[in-house]
Every structure is written in C-alpha cells, then in structure tokens.
C-alpha cells in the first residue's frame, strides 16, 4: 500500500470516525433535547393539572357559597310563608271559636266546665269567672249550674277561669289561653307538638 493509499485510507477511516462521532453527538443531543422536551411537557401538564384543580376547588367553593346563600333565602321565605299560613289558620280558628260562642252548645260546654271546676274544688271556696263578652249568659248559667258566677273585666274569648284561693290554684279553661298555647306549640310538620 502506497503512502497515498495509506493517506486515503487514513482519511476515509478518520472521516468515518468523525461521521460516527458527529452522528453519536447529534443523537446524544437529540436524546437530550427529547428528554428536556418530555420533562417540560410533564412540568406543563402538572402545572395545568394543578391550575385546573385549584380552579375546580375555587368554583366548587363559589357554588357551595351560592347554594348556601340560596338555601338560607329559601328557608327564610319558607318560614315567612309558614308564619303567614299559621296566622291565617289561627285567625280562622279564632273566628270559628267566636261563632261557637253564639251556639246553644257553647252554653252546654260552659256548664260542663263549671261543674268540672266545682268538682275539682270539692268543699273549698271557688270563684268562677266568665269572659266579659259572656255577661248576658250569667243568669242562665248560674241557674243551670247552681254556682255563683262572676263576670271578669277581661275578655278571654270565652270559656271560664276559676280560682281556688285556699289552695292558690287557677284553673284557666279560657279560649284565649288555649288558643295562645296551641299557637305557640303549632308545627307545620304535623300540627301540635306533643313530645
């Protein structure tokens, strides 16, 4: 092999090695760039997922806040409507009570209550009061029950009130007291609260 051939061979081998080194360097650089690209993609995906998660939590909190506010408004409106209906109902009940006091059955009712109060007092002194709006019934009820009755200065819608001074007992069978108690205990989930 001549020097020129050796040189040519050396040149070709050196060129092949340089090409291989360059190809290896290019491939290494490509691999490095691919790795950096993948890391960047992963980083961006994680950042995007964190942003989506944070925004989702923010939206969820805002929705819950709005829902809570709407629930409070609905409960307030519901409560106002219930109170309105309750007042309408008890106005109707009071009207019916007033209608009842104009019937003969009302006098029978008063007689029963007067006798019950007298039986309860036994031999003790008892003071039995009619509502001021029942003063016209005083004579007939006194005659029917045989009890001395008094007319209260107070209008308690009907019924009776009785006092047993010796035992310091007040018997309140007035319609006003009964309506007030029912009004206080009334619940829309089933009427009166009997626990």
């Amino acid at each position: 092999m001549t020097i020129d051939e050796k040189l040519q061979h050396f040149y070709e081998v050196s060129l092949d090695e340089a090409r291989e080194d360059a190809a290896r360097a290019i491939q290494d650089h490509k691999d490095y760039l691919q790795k950096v690209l993948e890391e960047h993609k992963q980083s961006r995906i994680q950042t995007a997922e964190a942003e989506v998660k944070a925004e989702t939590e923010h939206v969820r909190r805002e929705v819950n806040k709005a829902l809570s506010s709407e629930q409070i408004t609905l409960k307030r409106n519901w409560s106002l409507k219930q109170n309105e209906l309750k007042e309408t109902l008890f106005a109707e009940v009071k009207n019916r009570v007033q209608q009842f006091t104009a019937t003969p059955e009302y006098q029978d009712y008063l007689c029963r209550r007067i006798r019950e109060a007298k039986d309860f007092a036994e031999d003790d002194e008892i003071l039995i009061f009619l509502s001021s709006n029942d003063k016209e019934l005083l004579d007939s009820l006194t005659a029917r029950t045989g009890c001395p009755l008094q007319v209260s200065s107070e209008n308690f819608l009907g019924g009776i009130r009785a006092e047993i001074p010796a035992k310091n007992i007040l018997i309140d069978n007035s319609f006003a007291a009964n309506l007030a108690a029912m009004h206080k205990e009334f619940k829309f989930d089933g009427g009166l609260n009997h626990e």
Side-chain angles (χ1 to χ4, degrees):
M1 189 181 260
T2 66
I3 287 194
D4 284 341
E5 288 176 339
K6 284 182 181 179
L7 278 175
Q8 184 61 33
H9 177 65
F10 177 73
Y11 175 74
E12 288 173 3
V13 167
S14 294
L15 204 55
D16 286 343
E17 282 181 12
R19 279 189 195 119
E20 286 175 12
D21 286 345
R24 222 179 356 257
I26 289 171
Q27 187 59 45
D28 287 347
H29 192 66
K30 281 182 178 179
D31 290 345
Y32 172 75
L33 289 177
Q34 187 65 34
K35 181 181 171 188
V36 168
L37 177 64
E38 289 301 317
E39 287 174 356
H40 181 72
K41 282 181 181 178
Q42 282 295 59
S43 172
R44 291 303 297 156
I45 287 171
Q46 288 173 348
T47 301
E49 286 174 350
E51 287 175 1
V52 167
K53 185 176 180 182
E55 189 60 26
T56 302
E57 284 301 313
H58 174 73
V59 168
R60 184 177 290 123
R61 280 192 303 273
E62 290 299 314
V63 166
N64 285 343
K65 203 184 304 181
L67 180 62
S68 177
S69 176
E70 188 60 27
Q71 285 175 331
I72 289 169
T73 301
L74 287 173
K75 284 181 182 178
R76 187 179 314 118
N77 290 343
W78 175 254
S79 179
L80 289 172
K81 189 62 175 175
Q82 281 185 331
N83 285 337
E84 180 184 318
L85 291 172
K86 181 178 178 180
E87 293 308 317
T88 302
L89 173 68
F90 276 91
E92 177 66 23
V93 169
K94 184 177 178 181
N95 186 36
R96 297 267 178 112
V97 165
Q98 290 170 337
Q99 289 173 0
F100 173 66
T101 60
T103 65
E105 290 81 14
Y106 176 59
Q107 290 185 39
D108 295 340
Y109 169 82
L110 289 175
C111 287
R112 273 195 317 275
R113 289 298 186 187
I114 292 167
R115 287 185 188 110
E116 287 171 4
K118 190 175 178 186
D119 291 346
F120 181 79
E122 296 175 341
D123 294 328
D124 292 326
E125 175 192 10
I126 186 167
L127 305 172
I128 300 175
F129 297 91
L130 298 176
S131 179
S132 63
N133 59 331
D134 289 336
K135 63 184 166 197
E136 69 278 352
L137 303 177
L138 179 67
D139 294 335
S140 72
L141 290 173
T142 301
R144 284 178 67 179
T145 61
C147 279
L149 304 173
Q150 299 177 39
V151 176
S152 173
S153 61
E154 187 180 342
N155 177 3
F156 42 82
L157 299 179
I160 66 160
R161 287 185 180 157
E163 294 177 13
I164 305 173
K167 294 182 180 175
N168 201 20
I169 294 176
L170 170 67
I171 301 170
D172 192 348
N173 284 324
S174 67
F175 291 166
N178 290 335
L179 279 174
M182 286 190 306
H183 189 276
K184 182 179 177 184
E185 295 178 16
F186 185 80
K187 303 276 186 236
F188 268 97
D189 58 355
L192 296 175
N193 185 12
H194 295 287
E195 293 177 3

